[in-house]
Amino acid sequence: MATGLLAHINELSEQDGAITGTAADWAATAPLDALKTLPLVDAAVSTRIGTRDQPVVLEWEWERPIDLTYAGLYRTNLWKTGRIRLEAFKTSARTSLAFTTQHASGIDRLVLPGLYDPKTLRFGGENTVLGQLGAREFLRYPTNIHVTMPLCSAQVLRWTIYGPAYRVAGSRYSTTEQAYRIGFGWAGDSLAFDRHVGASAEGYRRGGKVTELAGGGVAVEPGRGRRTATLDRTVNEAGDRDRLFDLVNFLDADRPAVWLPDTDSAFDCYRYGGLFQVIEDFSQKYLNDLHSAATISLGEVTT
Amino acid sequence: MKVRLVDLTLFHRPSGHRHRLPLATFPGYQSGPADSPPNVTWLPLVTAGADASVSIGSLGAADGQAELRIGDLVLRNETSRNPGQRFATVQDLDTGAWLRLALDDRPLNLLLTGDYVIQAVTEREIEDGAPLAEAVTIWTARVGQPKPKRTEIALPIYDSRLDYDTPIQTERYKGTGSYEGPAELKDTLKELPLGHCPMARPTYLGIIDGFHRWSVGGGKPVQDVPRGWSSGVGVAKQSGATPADNAHFTVDLASGIVTTTVKYADFRVEVLGRKFAGVYRRYIGELIAALATGAGLASTVDSAGMDAIPRTVGLFLAAGDGTTHAAAYSKFVGSVPRGGWYVGTAGQLVVTRVPRPTAAAAVRAYSSAAGTTTGLQYVEGQHNPPAKQVVLRCAHNPSPSSSAATDATAADATRWTQEWIEVPSATDAAIAAAWGSAAKVATVETALTFSTDAAAELPAWVAELSAPPTLYELPALDGAPGIWIGDAVTVEDDIAGFAEGAPVVVYGRTIADRSGGATLYVAR
């Protein structure tokens, strides 16, 4: 299966990195510091929408450079035609780029980049031209931005955001929202994680409350479900075994982790990846002296 | 999905300001930039909506007390190992400013450290992601002392109605002589006439400036003192500062002081009571409104339901009486059938008559066939047979004597010795025949002053007590947002009387059932 990614140490919260932006750009009651902590509903809210010439910019800075292979923003309200740029600078002087998502020609990434499977596109649909996920599917999952990069050392990360933002109300949505919301931010190192065929699975735990009525009726109070992911490694070598054990130890029951099923497919990451928690106890079984098998069960963080 | 927004009103001791802490049930809520207030987060730290209910006593009885069940609001207080500092958005209600308050590892420790006193809670319900203006207020209540456990804090909540268990009389005699009474009266609560009191015993203050003085208004202005009796013999009112002889009295309406030439052995007066802000109040609704707003217990009072048909009541609180607001209001609203008082969802005091189901327009329909309710449940209780005759008692004479003086007229003597004026209804022959001796005579003691009012209320009382309502519990799976006491709903169910759908009136409800939805207490 494809190469996935599992990140467990969020340098932004663990090292309490400084988050800065133009003060006037962010609401006083929902400032940028809200990015460092869960709950996701406590989001940083901007006071304006960015445009290409005047984007909304925020920077994350640490005291010492961190090892960076993954950075992300969670529970945002950027519309799928919005654009994002991540620049990682090696030092706080912000002169030397370690990594940038901006294409050499100056084009920035779409919030949900890439061409969706052409076989699923219907001619005349609202996603025909850009070839993206349809609006319904886009709104069904939290709008998370994931950026993976080859290992680099960075002390400052700069996010540049511009484009439309949306707001959902019931079954309707509007793309004229005048503020960006970002619930949580993440930056740090990660494990390249290949799931093995076996018990690997994705799931969905239903939300909502079902009441069975006398006489056979069913009444359902809708709720919010959780996605689940089961990561099965049927054979681990000693190095992987150790890294997995460290990871599960660190996460315990409360810390969040990031899971991306396929770093090459933005659509898979959108649908099946995101912010998760370990939801079952962990054990690794030995196949022989050198190899072990383990399964990690993850459930989505929805709070 | 529905989110419950729970706003706690806190008193911040160090600054003396009131703060508002917005919390919510899962998944929390953040208002948008166009909402008011904008960009405020309601942190998802509430386990579930409060488990409380309120209802107006038992319909069909002369009791307007609202019953309430104390429930607990449970807040989450789990710690987090995330080193990032968490904040709560808190509003200073006295300045209007929004503050970002740094939270401890356990986010709600601020409620337990003693800097904050939790005063009240307002619960609203909103659809996840909807604009804040669409939130519906479910409940406003007072909060008791928090009960902390390691990972949660239980807040006992109770109806603001309990605020009314405070005495109406607040002023006391100083006992320094003159109009503040002799030393024996020191610290005794001053008397207070409410409404139109047919027979009241004034407080004797002694001889002041050569005449005997009696206080009937607690030192505050009264509307009028038209008549007096001394041991049953009528004493006439005279205008002027002092009376001419011992058959007359004068009264100073601005201070409620009655002046006589003689200290009568047993002196009573009829008094039209206290003026509230210069206006004489004696109808049930307006009197309760004046008492509540005057004592600062309610800022808005809705008495339109009760005073649509105004009835005059009277209650004389003698010196040292100490009757509470709640007890007095219950006497007043209990004078009319289905009368009741309660605190509404916006914190306003409502004094009303709960209508008959057919008299009110149904606001919603529930049907067990459609699945919007699991079905009506009968409520144990009112299983007394109907009354064949109703006797209303009015014009209360609080301490009647056994005899009047020899020169009292027949009218005065009757009034002097009788505790109540009774207004009976005709005996219902059909009920007497059907129930035989099981059907009794119901006697209702009211605070009404005039027998004409009692006679006018009599048919409604007869309707109430000869056909007492059947009480049910109606589980509303949608949580019945916005439905409150006095609303009527239509119910269709396959039990007796509801097969075709029938209206019922709501006389109480739970706020949020732990199993989801809410339960309405309805009467048919």
Side-chain angles (χ1 to χ4, degrees):
Chain A
M1 297 179 72
T3 307
L5 180 148
L6 194 55
H8 62 295
I9 302 192
N10 182 359
E11 303 289 1
L12 191 61
S13 342
E14 295 298 324
Q15 288 193 36
D16 212 356
I19 309 186
T20 50
T22 314
D25 276 349
W26 300 93
T29 50
L32 280 171
D33 279 340
L35 276 184
K36 282 196 258 188
T37 59
L38 296 172
L40 290 168
V41 74
D42 188 22
V45 181
S46 72
T47 52
R48 66 180 179 91
I49 294 286
T51 58
R52 186 136 195 211
D53 299 316
Q54 288 180 329
V56 171
V57 179
L58 55 127
E59 289 186 352
W60 301 346
E61 184 170 342
W62 289 268
E63 285 178 358
R64 248 169 260 82
I66 61 165
D67 294 328
L68 189 68
T69 53
Y70 170 79
L73 299 173
Y74 304 93
R75 198 63 91 76
T76 69
N77 73 335
L78 301 166
W79 187 236
K80 54 186 171 144
T81 53
R83 296 203 181 252
I84 281 266
R85 182 193 321 149
L86 172 68
E87 290 156 299
F89 296 99
K90 291 185 186 158
T91 63
S92 57
R94 294 167 175 75
T95 44
S96 157
L97 262 183
F99 173 80
T100 176
T101 58
Q102 190 172 37
H103 197 258
S105 59
I107 300 178
D108 288 316
R109 269 189 206 181
L110 285 167
V111 162
L112 191 58
L115 187 63
Y116 195 40
D117 184 352
K119 294 196 289 292
T120 64
L121 293 176
R122 291 226 172 92
F123 189 77
E126 43 93 19
N127 56 342
T128 311
V129 173
L130 287 175
Q132 299 176 310
L133 269 185
R136 275 222 185 101
E137 284 69 43
F138 180 79
L139 293 171
R140 196 183 306 277
Y141 304 104
T143 307
N144 300 333
I145 315 276
H146 305 293
V147 179
T148 53
M149 62 279 278
L151 177 64
C152 60
S153 163
Q155 196 174 355
V156 176
L157 284 184
R158 179 186 294 159
W159 294 91
T160 308
I161 308 171
Y162 55 97
Y166 69 86
R167 186 176 179 96
V168 175
S171 54
R172 281 196 278 271
Y173 68 95
S174 93
T175 49
T176 51
E177 182 81 340
Q178 289 304 307
Y180 294 130
R181 279 184 151 70
I182 309 173
F184 192 56
W186 190 292
D189 202 355
S190 59
L191 293 181
F193 191 99
D194 294 336
R195 280 192 293 190
H196 291 162
V197 173
S200 291
E202 266 116 18
Y204 181 75
R205 199 171 277 180
R206 300 173 306 156
K209 182 147 179 40
V210 181
T211 311
E212 313 247 338
L213 307 172
V218 175
V220 185
E221 172 72 21
R224 196 181 271 206
R226 297 171 79 189
R227 292 176 293 172
T228 62
T230 312
L231 316 181
D232 193 29
R233 296 273 306 183
T234 46
V235 180
N236 282 324
E237 289 182 324
D240 290 330
R241 173 199 68 176
D242 294 341
R243 276 192 287 278
L244 275 181
F245 204 69
D246 289 344
L247 179 143
V248 180
N249 235 4
F250 178 78
L251 291 177
D252 205 322
D254 59 298
R255 287 196 172 94
V258 178
W259 161 242
L260 298 183
D262 183 350
T263 47
D264 294 326
S265 165
F267 296 103
D268 275 357
C269 293
Y270 194 78
R271 213 184 240 110
Y272 302 115
L275 207 56
F276 287 83
Q277 265 166 330
V278 177
I279 51 176
E280 272 176 34
D281 293 343
F282 177 80
S283 77
Q284 52 198 19
K285 303 188 217 326
Y286 282 92
L287 308 168
N288 56 37
D289 281 351
L290 301 169
H291 298 100
S292 62
T295 308
I296 301 183
S297 298
L298 301 175
E300 190 182 4
V301 170
T302 45
T303 307
Chain B
M1 60 179 290
K2 300 274 189 204
V3 183
R4 286 272 168 113
L5 304 177
V6 175
D7 286 88
L8 295 180
T9 305
L10 313 169
F11 183 80
H12 188 227
R13 280 199 177 143
S15 68
H17 289 192
R18 286 174 316 136
H19 287 177
R20 166 185 166 194
L21 176 63
L23 302 175
T25 56
F26 174 81
Y29 179 81
Q30 189 178 47
S31 58
D35 289 331
S36 166
N39 308 320
V40 168
T41 307
W42 274 254
L43 290 174
L45 293 173
V46 180
T47 302
D51 179 18
S53 75
V54 71
S55 60
I56 291 195
S58 18
L59 288 190
D63 183 296
Q65 295 268 20
E67 234 175 72
L68 44 94
R69 177 155 60 94
I70 299 175
D72 277 357
L73 185 63
V74 180
L75 308 178
R76 312 288 344 147
N77 201 20
E78 273 93 359
T79 186
S80 162
R81 283 187 288 188
N82 188 330
Q85 177 72 62
R86 282 191 293 180
F87 293 88
T89 322
V90 166
Q91 184 183 30
D92 185 326
L93 289 169
D94 294 324
T95 62
W98 285 92
L99 323 161
R100 279 294 268 187
L101 204 64
L103 298 174
D104 289 345
D105 283 342
R106 290 193 189 276
L108 292 179
N109 278 356
L110 61 131
L111 298 177
L112 303 175
T113 51
D115 276 351
Y116 279 106
V117 172
I118 312 173
Q119 289 188 331
V121 60
T122 304
E123 241 189 77
R124 290 181 286 178
E125 189 171 83
I126 192 173
E127 184 66 39
D128 187 20
L132 188 56
E134 291 177 17
V136 173
T137 305
I138 303 278
W139 181 243
T140 304
R142 293 252 171 271
V143 179
Q145 297 281 75
K147 302 184 279 195
K149 296 194 189 123
R150 287 194 73 83
T151 55
E152 53 187 40
I153 301 176
L155 299 181
I157 75 160
Y158 55 94
D159 190 3
S160 309
R161 200 200 140 282
L162 286 187
D163 286 348
Y164 292 82
D165 284 339
T166 184
I168 299 178
Q169 295 152 289
T170 48
E171 296 182 349
R172 296 176 187 270
Y173 282 108
K174 295 202 184 70
T176 48
S178 181
Y179 290 107
E180 286 297 331
E184 283 71 18
L185 263 187
K186 184 177 193 304
D187 291 338
T188 306
L189 288 167
K190 287 191 175 175
E191 73 285 339
L192 176 49
L194 296 173
H196 187 154
C197 310
M199 187 86 66
R201 192 199 295 267
T203 314
Y204 181 63
L205 294 178
I207 301 178
I208 300 167
D209 294 336
F211 284 89
H212 295 272
R213 310 285 178 173
W214 312 73
S215 174
V216 81
K220 294 265 165 58
V222 296
Q223 173 73 3
D224 195 11
V225 180
R227 289 191 292 175
W229 299 266
S230 156
S231 302
V233 180
V235 180
K237 185 168 93 165
Q238 207 174 39
S239 57
T242 56
D245 55 30
N246 65 355
H248 293 87
F249 69 89
T250 61
V251 59
D252 175 13
L253 293 177
S255 60
I257 299 291
V258 175
T259 306
T260 59
T261 55
V262 165
K263 181 181 185 305
Y264 301 113
D266 193 353
F267 183 46
R268 313 277 179 84
V269 293
E270 175 185 355
V271 57
L272 274 65
R274 166 161 301 186
K275 289 171 133 175
F276 295 91
V279 183
Y280 165 54
R281 306 279 182 201
R282 78 293 204 185
Y283 298 132
I284 299 174
E286 60 170 14
L287 181 54
I288 293 180
L291 283 172
T293 47
L297 294 170
S299 45
T300 23
V301 182
D302 175 8
S303 56
M306 177 62 76
D307 280 350
I309 305 173
R311 298 287 178 222
T312 308
V313 288
L315 180 67
F316 186 76
L317 303 178
D321 188 288
T323 300
T324 59
H325 283 260
Y329 299 177
S330 299
K331 279 209 180 79
F332 295 146
V333 299
S335 305
V336 297
R338 295 201 168 203
W341 68 275
Y342 56 89
V343 181
T345 54
Q348 85 281 32
L349 177 62
V350 183
V351 184
T352 187
R353 301 182 197 223
V354 178
R356 300 225 126 216
T358 41
V363 294
R364 201 168 297 180
Y366 288 97
S367 160
S368 68
T372 43
T373 174
T374 50
L376 289 166
Q377 304 292 326
Y378 289 95
V379 169
E380 271 256 10
Q382 297 287 98
H383 293 307
N384 298 322
K388 62 184 175 191
Q389 184 185 37
V390 176
V391 176
L392 284 186
R393 291 182 163 171
C394 62
H396 189 211
N397 176 358
S399 36
S401 269
S402 47
S403 63
T406 44
D407 43 344
T409 64
D412 286 336
T414 313
R415 197 70 268 268
W416 187 255
T417 53
Q418 216 180 36
E419 189 179 0
W420 297 97
I421 293 181
E422 292 194 346
V423 180
S425 69
T427 307
D428 188 323
I431 291 180
W435 271 271
S437 49
K440 302 283 191 282
V441 175
T443 308
V444 181
E445 293 179 357
T446 71
L448 295 170
T449 308
F450 299 124
S451 53
T452 44
D453 281 344
E457 287 294 332
L458 196 56
W461 272 114
V462 170
E464 191 68 23
L465 294 174
S466 62
T470 320
L471 306 180
Y472 303 90
E473 280 185 10
L474 174 66
L477 294 175
D478 63 354
I483 294 188
W484 203 251
I485 298 173
D487 290 334
V489 296
T490 313
V491 180
E492 179 270 313
D493 196 358
D494 60 355
I495 61 172
F498 289 93
E500 307 291 328
V504 289
V505 71
V506 176
Y507 71 92
R509 61 168 293 159
T510 64
I511 302 314
D513 292 340
R514 286 286 154 98
S515 53
T519 305
L520 300 175
Y521 303 127
V522 297
R524 173 84 188 276

